[in-house]
Amino acid sequence: MKALVLMNMGGARNKEELEMFLRNMFNDKNILTIKSDFFRSLIASMIVYSRLNSAWENYEEIGGESPIYKLTDKLIAKLQEKLGDEYFVTQAMRYTPPLAKRTVLELEQRNIDEVILFPLYPQYSTTTTKSSLEDFEEAAIHKFNTKTIEPFYKNKNYNDLIIDDILKTINSEDTKDYNLIFSAHGLPQKVVDKGDPYQKQLEEQLIILKDMLKERSLEFASINLAYQSKVGPMKWLEPSLDNELKKYKDQNVIIYPISFIIDNSETDFELKIEYKEIADEIGIKNYKVCDCLNDNDKFVDTIISLI
């Protein structure tokens, strides 16, 4: 029997899981690239101690839990229904349960031979795709015949769905009245300088999306890529979303979260609440944020076509 494993970062469903998420994330050698496990763990503990309470306040503003699990469960249920008995569909989260070790145990108990790993990261990054795949491989120790789905940011069906989502969010309004910003999770510049292809792939996808919009005769006041979630003093990828928004006083803005497939705290809190407050302060007339694809039926079909 085969298994399809959806991979993502995870998210907190309570304050204890938020602490676990932060601790696991900052102990990840792909996130904090410190060679010494001891010093990485020490710094991780300091970061968790300093951030936990303020981060939990943010979670409380979106109901006390990340939406990522309920939405992923819906996606899994739809995939399972369409794929039938040929596949067992499950998930492995990087920083909160179900962690890869538990997923591997579940696959062993079901006598799974072949595993297709589907990272729900459209673009490749060492901090997301590589980290999740290494985590699974470390847990599995060559127990399965494994295939990995490559980054799908160029896939036409996927990009068509992004455009459909943007149009749905604008509703009947004229696209020319909106500045379209594709917002991606930021990375420290040094990560990209070491060869991480994330920024390059985002810029490639932006060109693809612009061409597809032109083919569909859809015009926006402007179309740009920006980066959210910057933390700390080091240099991060630019332009930052807060600086990009400053250009659009008295104008309309629509945001598409281009590096996410499933809504999470970074879309529901950061984009829809935190950056909305920034937009209001700037004087942006109308600020809209698209939902992620989540369990979109056509995206379910896209996943099936990719596997």
Side-chain angles (χ1 to χ4, degrees):
M1 188 178 181
K2 299 177 184 178
L4 171 62
V5 180
L6 305 183
M7 313 185 87
N8 215 328
M9 296 183 77
R13 288 164 283 198
N14 50 57
K15 192 172 182 179
E16 289 71 29
E17 274 198 352
L18 179 58
E19 181 176 357
M20 178 192 295
F21 182 95
L22 293 171
R23 192 170 298 282
N24 285 340
M25 180 170 68
F26 290 112
N27 270 293
D28 184 348
K29 63 183 182 295
N30 291 292
I31 301 292
L32 276 185
T33 55
I34 298 168
K35 291 183 179 179
S36 166
D37 291 344
F38 173 76
F39 283 114
R40 190 187 314 112
S41 178
L42 183 65
I43 292 170
S45 294
M46 292 167 62
I47 294 172
V48 172
Y49 178 78
S50 65
R51 288 193 191 176
L52 179 60
N53 289 332
S54 60
W56 179 245
E57 287 175 8
N58 297 344
Y59 265 83
E60 287 181 319
E61 288 200 46
I62 57 171
E65 65 177 334
S66 170
I68 196 169
Y69 283 104
K70 289 177 181 175
L71 292 168
T72 304
D73 286 344
K74 288 181 180 179
L75 177 58
I76 287 172
K78 287 184 177 181
L79 282 163
Q80 190 65 74
E81 184 179 1
K82 286 213 166 189
L83 290 168
D85 294 336
E86 186 182 356
Y87 285 88
F88 169 62
V89 186
T90 188
Q91 60 184 305
M93 294 296 189
R94 181 63 183 94
Y95 302 126
T96 46
L99 298 170
K101 284 183 180 178
R102 195 178 101 183
T103 303
V104 166
L105 181 61
E106 181 182 36
L107 298 178
E108 285 185 289
Q109 290 171 344
R110 290 175 175 269
N111 296 315
I112 300 291
D113 299 310
E114 297 182 41
V115 175
I116 296 179
L117 300 176
F118 196 109
L120 287 172
Y121 314 116
Q123 309 85 18
Y124 183 96
S125 174
T126 55
T127 59
T128 53
T129 318
K130 179 174 180 279
S131 178
S132 287
L133 292 174
E134 283 182 347
D135 187 48
F136 186 88
E137 287 163 10
E138 189 177 316
I141 321 173
H142 309 297
K143 289 174 180 171
F144 314 106
N145 180 12
T146 305
K147 175 185 175 184
T148 302
I149 300 301
E150 297 298 317
F152 51 92
Y153 67 98
K154 291 183 179 180
N155 182 273
K156 186 179 184 304
N157 290 339
Y158 162 64
N159 284 310
D160 269 328
L161 292 175
I162 289 176
I163 294 172
D164 289 345
D165 255 12
I166 293 166
L167 296 177
K168 177 184 170 186
T169 305
I170 289 179
N171 203 355
S172 57
E173 295 179 74
D174 192 341
T175 57
K176 293 177 186 175
D177 292 336
Y178 278 85
N179 296 281
L180 171 59
I181 303 174
F182 291 101
S183 182
H185 188 285
L187 279 184
Q189 183 66 50
K190 70 174 186 178
V191 174
V192 174
D193 292 344
K194 287 180 179 177
D196 192 299
Y198 177 69
Q199 182 183 25
K200 180 175 179 288
Q201 292 184 0
L202 282 164
E203 290 171 351
E204 287 175 356
Q205 188 177 4
L206 182 64
I207 293 169
I208 290 168
L209 285 162
K210 283 182 175 180
D211 288 343
M212 291 175 70
L213 286 164
K214 194 179 292 184
E215 287 170 9
R216 289 168 69 163
S217 301
L218 295 169
E219 294 182 38
F220 287 83
S222 67
I223 303 174
N224 291 286
L225 174 66
Y227 297 91
Q228 64 187 89
S229 311
K230 180 184 184 299
V231 290
M234 69 177 68
K235 181 176 172 58
W236 281 51
L237 292 176
E238 295 178 344
S240 64
L241 181 55
D242 49 347
N243 281 335
E244 183 66 25
L245 288 172
K246 290 174 184 176
K247 299 177 183 178
Y248 306 116
K249 179 178 169 61
D250 297 324
Q251 298 180 51
N252 298 326
V253 169
I254 183 163
I255 306 284
Y256 189 87
I258 195 170
S259 58
F260 300 105
I261 292 296
I262 307 289
D263 277 309
N264 56 79
S265 62
E266 292 183 42
T267 58
D268 279 20
F269 174 74
E270 277 190 35
L271 289 180
K272 295 178 182 176
I273 296 175
E274 196 169 40
Y275 284 102
K276 170 72 164 64
E277 291 173 359
I278 293 171
D280 290 344
E281 288 171 10
I282 290 167
I284 288 171
K285 190 161 55 174
N286 199 358
Y287 173 90
K288 295 186 176 185
V289 179
C290 300
D291 289 336
C292 293
L293 293 180
N294 297 320
D295 64 327
N296 181 305
D297 290 336
K298 290 182 179 178
F299 183 61
V300 171
D301 293 336
T302 299
I303 290 176
I304 292 170
S305 71
L306 285 167
I307 67 170

